[in-house]
Amino acid sequence: MKPRVEIIALGGTIACRPDSGSGGVAPGLSGADLAAAVPALADVARIAARNLANVPSTEIGLPLLFDLVRAIRAHEADGVAGVVVTQGTDTIEETAFVLDLLHGGDMPVVVTGAMRNPTLPGADGPANLLAAVTCAAYPACRGLGAVVTLDDRIHAARWVQKCDTSSTGAFHSPAPLGWLAEGKAALYARPARRAPLPLPEGAGLPFVPILKPGLSDDPRLVHAALDAGAGGIVLDLAGGGHVHSGWLGALGAAVSRVPVVFASRTRGGRVLSRTYGQSGGEIDLLRRGLGGAGDLDALKARLLLMLLLMAGTPDRYCQLTDLSLPPGAA
Ligand code: ASP
């Protein structure tokens, strides 16, 4: 008997259809519509499909993702082989990371979407859905956490980034975990897993802005964030984690009140910890009590900080941020 795979659809380009009001496209196709358009899915798995939402992916918020995690847990407890989440690609790098942080099981959770909507020549949604279901049903893909498959590549949720507005090859990670071809998943790496974070029950959403200083930028942004009630701040800094020395006063005020984490606006590599000695360099920032985001970009660092704030354990940030290193090696 073929394995069971559940498709949970959230909307996005993969589910778009013509929108007469705007002249563009908008989400409207259901998960069942998406599955019905790819008969080859039946060769891979017994499919069930449903919607938790049908929205552009910028409308997805953490409460919806928490409902999604509850649904994923229920499916795993029910013996489902894998779950495929279809959604807009604009925020996949964030949603998949949240799922990865909260999903502790071995069942594959595979997030996919499409860069070309179904009205366009060469629409990639059907191929991406087939690849995602193949990955979700594939025994070797168990234990990977949440992954993102697009363009026949399998990316770890913790590192994947959308790097192009329209190319079908928009998704990148420093080292994809593997690829899909001829109905099989080939893996060349397995990411280290961490214990899942608790699913926040009843905690309010903290306000955690990302501040990205440019040249001659104004540190009043930091005070504005604090005055607006920030529960934490993520800085998206130059290079290995460097800011103009004129920001240090404001950052000192911030770090005495809330957790402040810095990531690199290069969106690649890791923030540094012991190389540059200038005022406002990474050594200085760490000495002043800011935390480094390790290899997480600012978007992912923000989500991790939000979940830790909701769990009441923001001090665990530095244990969890160095996801590319084996536990204990950070
Ligand atoms: N605007 C779309 C979204 O919902 C883009 C996409 O799906 O590729 O994210």
Side-chain angles (χ1 to χ4, degrees):
M1 182 141 25
K2 298 212 183 300
R4 282 168 63 199
V5 171
E6 294 281 334
I7 298 173
I8 303 181
L10 303 180
T13 292
I14 192 170
C16 274
R17 57 189 181 190
D19 175 51
S20 51
S22 65
V25 293
L29 299 174
S30 68
D33 294 332
L34 302 186
V38 190
L41 295 179
D43 299 334
V44 179
R46 287 176 290 146
I47 301 288
R50 67 190 163 112
N51 280 73
L52 267 191
N54 209 342
V55 294
S57 70
T58 42
E59 298 296 317
I60 297 172
L62 286 176
L64 177 57
L65 292 178
F66 299 157
D67 287 344
L68 181 55
V69 170
R70 288 185 196 99
I72 287 168
R73 288 180 181 176
H75 285 314
E76 182 155 31
D78 196 33
V80 164
V83 168
V84 169
V85 178
T86 62
Q87 66 156 93
T89 59
D90 288 350
T91 63
I92 277 186
E93 64 196 274
E94 294 180 86
T95 58
F97 182 57
V98 170
L99 297 180
D100 193 54
L101 288 172
L102 298 174
H103 172 57
D106 284 336
M107 184 187 72
V109 174
V110 185
V111 190
T112 194
M115 293 300 295
R116 294 183 185 148
N117 73 67
T119 72
L120 295 174
D124 54 333
N128 286 342
L129 184 59
L130 181 58
V133 168
T134 302
C135 188
Y138 214 68
C141 292
R142 292 182 62 77
L144 296 179
V147 297
V148 171
T149 60
L150 275 103
D151 200 26
D152 287 336
R153 291 285 177 277
I154 305 170
H155 298 280
R158 65 190 68 171
W159 294 308
V160 70
Q161 297 172 332
K162 183 176 180 179
C163 300
D164 192 288
T165 56
S166 53
S167 164
T168 53
F171 283 82
H172 292 274
S173 51
L177 301 180
W179 72 95
L180 293 132
E182 297 187 320
K184 291 192 166 61
L187 292 177
Y188 40 62
R190 298 189 74 84
R193 298 286 301 277
R194 293 289 188 283
L197 297 184
L199 188 58
E201 302 287 357
L205 287 183
F207 169 43
V208 179
I210 296 174
L211 305 183
K212 185 175 185 174
L215 290 183
S216 289
D217 216 339
D218 197 315
R220 277 179 296 181
L221 284 172
V222 178
H223 296 295
L226 293 172
D227 291 348
I233 294 175
V234 174
L235 301 166
D236 200 12
L237 297 185
H242 307 145
V243 70
H244 189 278
S245 54
W247 278 56
L248 293 173
L251 292 178
V255 85
S256 69
R257 288 169 56 181
V258 299
V260 183
V261 168
F262 63 94
S264 170
R265 70 188 193 193
T266 66
R267 301 220 315 157
R270 303 165 46 76
V271 287
L272 301 176
S273 61
R274 54 182 188 179
T275 300
Y276 289 98
Q278 78 263 21
S279 190
E282 78 278 357
I283 295 174
D284 187 22
L285 297 181
L286 292 169
R287 199 171 35 83
R288 289 170 191 268
L290 283 77
D295 62 359
L296 297 181
D297 66 24
L299 288 171
K300 294 185 203 286
R302 171 180 171 272
L303 290 164
L304 174 56
L305 185 54
M306 288 179 77
L307 291 176
L308 290 175
L309 284 164
M310 293 172 92
T313 57
D315 45 308
R316 287 193 65 210
Y317 191 90
C318 289
Q319 298 162 21
L320 290 160
T321 193
D322 280 292
L323 297 172
S324 61
L325 300 177

